């Protein structure tokens, strides 16, 4: 036997096996589950199309069994929106997401709805970080409830995740909730953070609440176009369903719709410190019919609901028709629920007209009994109703502003009472409103009208700056209370659309 040849053959085999093992060792797979704009749609809901957190947890747990490396991210608008969250100001959501082992959350505009003090408390009680690298204070002080980024390691691969909050937060929550804060340019911020991370990590992920809406000044698509070095953007805010992800330059953008209708996941392959493959997927609610709900999450949700039931189950009246509060409807045209709400405001405050922002209407109500919980779900922000004095010119300017983003589904779109107006949706913004009537008569730009609105808009929210200096005539308490009182007094209600808003 030629031992020299045998030794060389064995050495060659060992080297090949070693090299093969080295290549395999340098290839790491990472799965990233993601959600956005859940708006506390915690439970499975046929009407809203939500799968709920319990089914999501089952899917994520299954993924953690199948995959060695799994991350779970939330792109914001998480703590507010439904009664289960609003009654305890987000604490229930924090607890549930802790049980689901959330890795990080970026702050959405509605996550500020309880104010900064409460946001600080939520950050302290949560075991996951709140990310917002472009958020700072005017006085230069540190923000106690956010951090710029996190770094996590998976089989030797370092992954950096940084957050970006939409600058629209300055007017898409109540202005008092963001006093003293600065929402810096997300593109400039992203460049700076990526430059800092590139020497520290192998994979860069931006967890953003920017959206891809044409009505937004800053979008995640702009970040991908102008900031090299981001492998993945997990986005929210515009509620888009991005099937298979969207490649912009070398960056993949993903978004999973809204209201827990989808659970997104992205599979990354990292070789020699570089992303060699990226695959984006969505699991729609209709594909989860046979998925069992996670026992722990279901039990926690049931206990929270039982504690809240004494409040939410009280019947305030009935509706003879379905009340349309769908996002795509209240932000682009007149709806019967928008009419009901503004009629209630105008009746309560005895004004010439009423105007409320479509973005403040967050759900529909089925025909039949109306419970207190349903009204709170429709009007979850705790806004107060108030009457102000406006000149006819300012009232028209408000309507112009309200339709300025049409046909984009923006929350500033107005729902009105005591007003009828026509506008040209194809005309240049600022010159769209054609005719306006108040109380059945043509608007007089020099006349002074009393207008019922909410405190969010009065403070300039959603960009209604013409309301800021308007004198307040009187206030009427919570908007949800105003609506409940009106329903109780006029039950059964049966509002219709009445051509209050005509689009030409």
């Amino acid at each position: 036997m030629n031992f020299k040849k045998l030794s060389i053959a064995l050495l060659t085999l060992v080297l090949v096996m070693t090299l093969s093992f080295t290549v395999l060792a340098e290839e790491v797979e990472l799965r990233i589950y993601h959600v956005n704009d859940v708006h506390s749609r915690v439970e499975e809901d046929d009407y809203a199309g939500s799968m709920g957190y319990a089914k999501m947890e089952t899917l994520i747990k299954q993924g953690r069994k199948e995959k060695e490396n799994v991350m779970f991210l939330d792109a914001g608008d998480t703590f507010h929106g439904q009664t289960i969250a609003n009654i305890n100001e987000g604490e229930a959501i924090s607890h549930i997401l802790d049980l689901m082992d959330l890795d990080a959350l970026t702050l959405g505009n509605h996550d500020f709805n309880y104010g900064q003090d409460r946001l600080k408390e939520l950050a302290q009680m949560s075991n996951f970080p709140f990310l917002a690298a472009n958020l700072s204070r005017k006085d230069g002080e540190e923000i106690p409830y956010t951090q710029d980024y996190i770094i996590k390691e998976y089989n030797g691969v370092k992954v950096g995740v940084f957050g970006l909050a939409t600058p629209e937060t300055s007017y898409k929550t109540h202005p008092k909730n963001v006093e003293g804060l600065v929402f810096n340019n997300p593109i400039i911020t992203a460049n700076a953070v990526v430059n800092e991370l590139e020497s520290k990590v192998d994979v860069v992920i931006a967890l953003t609440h920017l959206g891809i809406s044409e009505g937004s000044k800053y979008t995640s698509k702009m970040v991908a176009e102008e900031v090299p070095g981001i492998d993945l953007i997990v986005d929210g805010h515009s509620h888009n369903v991005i099937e298979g992800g969207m490649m912009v330059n070398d960056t993949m953008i993903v978004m999973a719709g809204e209201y827990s209708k989808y659970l997104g996941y992205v599979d990354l392959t990292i070789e020699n410190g570089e992303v060699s493959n990226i695959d984006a997927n969505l699991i729609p609610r209709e594909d989860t019919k046979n998925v069992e709900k996670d026992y722990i999450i279901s039990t926690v949700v049931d206990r929270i609901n039982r504690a809240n039931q004494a409040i939410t189950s009280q019947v305030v009246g009935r509706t003879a028709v379905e009340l349309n509060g769908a996002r795509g409807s209240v932000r682009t045209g007149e709806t019967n629920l928008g009419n009901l709400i503004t009629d209630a405001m105008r009746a309560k405050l005895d004004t010439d007209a009423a105007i409320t922002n479509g973005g403040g209407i967050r759900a529909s109500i089925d025909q039949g009994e109306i419970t207190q919980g349903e009204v709170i779900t429709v009007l979850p922000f705790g806004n107060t109703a108030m009457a102000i004095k406006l000149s006819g010119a300012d009232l028209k300017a408000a309507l112009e502003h309200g339709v300025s983003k049409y046909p984009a589904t923006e929350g500033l779109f107005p729902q009105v009472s005591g007003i009828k107006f026509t506008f040209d949706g194809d005309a240049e913004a600022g010159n769209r409103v054609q005719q306006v009537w108040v109380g059945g008569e043509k608007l007089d730009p020099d006349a002074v009208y009393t207008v019922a609105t909410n405190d969010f808009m009065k403070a300039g929210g959603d960009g209604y700056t013409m309301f800021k200096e308007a004198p307040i005539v009187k206030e009427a308490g919570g908007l949800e209370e105003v609506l409940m009182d009106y329903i109780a007094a006029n039950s059964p209600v049966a509002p219709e659309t009445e051509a209050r808003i005509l689009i030409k």
Side-chain angles (χ1 to χ4, degrees):
M1 180 179 290
N2 190 328
F3 288 101
K4 185 175 180 180
K5 288 183 177 180
L6 179 61
S7 297
I8 291 172
L10 287 169
L11 179 60
T12 302
L13 180 61
V14 169
L15 285 171
V16 169
M17 290 178 68
T18 303
L19 286 170
S20 298
F21 177 76
T22 302
V23 171
L24 288 173
E26 289 179 350
E27 181 177 292
V28 176
E29 292 186 351
L30 171 64
R31 172 165 290 184
I32 300 167
Y33 287 99
H34 64 93
V35 294
N36 59 275
D37 300 284
V38 175
H39 289 279
S40 72
R41 297 274 182 177
V42 167
E43 300 175 84
E44 186 174 23
D45 184 338
D46 290 337
Y47 186 78
S50 307
M51 75 172 72
Y53 280 140
K55 284 194 172 182
M56 280 188 176
E57 175 67 345
T58 297
L59 294 168
I60 293 170
K61 277 184 175 178
Q62 181 180 337
R64 286 179 172 136
K65 288 179 182 178
E66 297 171 354
K67 301 285 184 179
E68 183 179 1
N69 305 309
V70 172
M71 179 182 279
F72 178 30
L73 301 175
D74 187 325
D77 275 4
T78 304
F79 292 112
H80 190 277
Q82 299 289 290
T83 306
I84 192 171
N86 298 347
I87 284 180
N88 50 66
E89 296 190 322
E91 183 174 352
I93 307 302
S94 170
H95 183 47
I96 293 168
L97 291 177
D98 273 341
L99 292 172
M100 296 175 71
D101 291 326
L102 184 70
D103 286 286
L105 172 144
T106 200
L107 290 175
N109 49 297
H110 290 299
D111 294 318
F112 288 84
N113 283 354
Y114 305 121
Q116 293 182 61
D117 289 342
R118 183 55 176 170
L119 205 50
K120 179 181 177 182
E121 292 171 349
L122 288 170
Q124 290 171 340
M125 71 177 69
S126 301
N127 292 322
F128 49 88
F130 299 173
L131 305 180
N134 63 321
L135 186 61
S136 62
R137 285 193 58 84
K138 292 177 182 177
D139 59 14
E141 292 292 319
E142 185 178 340
I143 298 174
Y145 48 85
T146 65
Q147 58 192 77
D148 293 350
Y149 61 80
I150 59 171
I151 296 176
K152 306 202 80 168
E153 189 169 333
Y154 301 91
N155 290 0
V157 171
K158 292 183 178 180
V159 180
V161 182
F162 71 95
L164 295 173
T166 176
E168 294 175 3
T169 306
S170 61
Y171 62 89
K172 286 193 172 180
T173 185
H174 195 293
K176 71 180 180 182
N177 296 333
V178 290
E179 285 178 351
L181 296 181
V182 179
F183 292 85
N184 298 297
N185 184 318
I187 296 170
I188 294 173
T189 300
N191 261 310
V193 176
V194 171
N195 288 338
E196 182 177 343
L197 284 174
E198 62 183 358
S199 62
K200 299 179 180 181
V201 302
D202 304 294
V203 179
V204 175
I205 298 172
L207 184 60
T208 67
H209 195 80
L210 296 174
I212 56 174
S213 171
E214 294 180 0
S216 294
K217 183 177 180 181
Y218 299 106
T219 66
S220 60
K221 187 177 178 182
M222 292 175 188
V223 173
E225 288 170 342
E226 300 187 37
V227 184
I230 301 174
D231 297 294
L232 174 67
I233 296 178
V234 177
D235 196 23
H237 188 45
S238 57
H239 296 219
N240 293 90
V241 178
I242 305 181
E243 296 277 0
M246 175 193 299
M247 286 299 298
V248 178
N249 294 335
D250 295 323
T251 301
M252 172 73 82
I253 301 173
V254 295
M255 198 185 316
E258 62 183 4
Y259 303 157
S260 78
K261 294 177 181 178
Y262 297 84
L263 174 63
Y265 69 93
V266 181
D267 286 328
L268 296 174
T269 303
I270 303 99
E271 295 183 81
N272 301 315
E274 298 285 340
V275 175
S276 61
N277 188 59
I278 185 166
D279 183 34
N281 302 271
L282 290 174
I283 303 172
R285 188 249 185 172
E286 53 263 29
D287 288 356
T288 67
K289 291 179 181 177
N290 297 322
V291 174
E292 291 187 7
K293 296 179 181 179
D294 179 77
Y295 175 77
I296 294 174
I297 301 301
S298 293
T299 301
V300 169
V301 171
D302 287 343
R303 287 175 179 172
I304 294 168
N305 281 334
R306 282 199 298 271
N308 294 340
Q309 194 170 16
I311 298 172
T312 60
S313 62
Q314 295 181 30
V315 175
V316 297
R318 294 183 59 83
T319 174
V321 296
E322 179 185 353
L323 303 175
N324 181 12
R327 175 188 172 91
S329 300
V330 295
R331 295 175 180 228
T332 57
E334 176 189 351
T335 77
N336 65 343
L337 181 53
N339 290 350
L340 180 68
I341 293 168
T342 50
D343 284 351
M345 295 165 66
R346 186 162 66 98
K348 181 71 173 182
L349 290 157
D350 191 23
T351 55
D352 299 315
I355 178 171
T356 196
N357 55 315
I361 302 170
R362 308 302 287 192
S364 300
I365 296 177
D366 289 335
Q367 181 181 355
E369 289 186 342
I370 302 174
T371 65
Q372 191 172 129
E374 286 179 302
V375 175
I376 294 171
T377 299
V378 169
L379 299 169
F381 300 119
N383 294 123
T384 57
M386 57 180 58
I388 60 176
K389 286 185 177 180
L390 276 183
S391 69
D394 281 342
L395 180 53
K396 184 181 179 184
L399 298 174
E400 280 282 9
H401 174 70
V403 300
S404 62
K405 302 294 186 181
Y406 179 88
T409 53
E410 294 292 324
L412 51 81
F413 192 91
Q415 297 292 323
V416 299
S417 176
I419 296 172
K420 178 179 177 179
F421 73 100
T422 63
F423 78 94
D424 182 351
D426 295 323
E428 183 181 356
N431 192 34
R432 291 183 162 186
V433 174
Q434 299 171 325
Q435 292 179 293
V436 183
W437 296 266
V438 178
E441 297 184 0
K442 277 196 172 183
L443 177 136
D444 180 351
D446 297 320
V448 174
Y449 299 94
T450 55
V451 179
T453 189
N454 61 68
D455 61 329
F456 168 69
M457 295 176 70
K458 172 63 179 72
D462 265 344
Y464 281 90
T465 55
M466 67 290 297
F467 285 5
K468 291 181 76 171
E469 302 303 321
I472 297 173
V473 179
K474 52 187 168 181
E475 299 186 42
L479 194 54
E480 73 282 3
E481 294 173 358
V482 170
L483 180 57
M484 282 189 266
D485 289 346
Y486 186 83
I487 291 170
N490 295 278
S491 187
V493 295
E496 300 176 350
T497 53
E498 303 170 349
R500 297 180 185 185
I501 303 171
L502 292 175
I503 306 168
K504 296 192 173 182

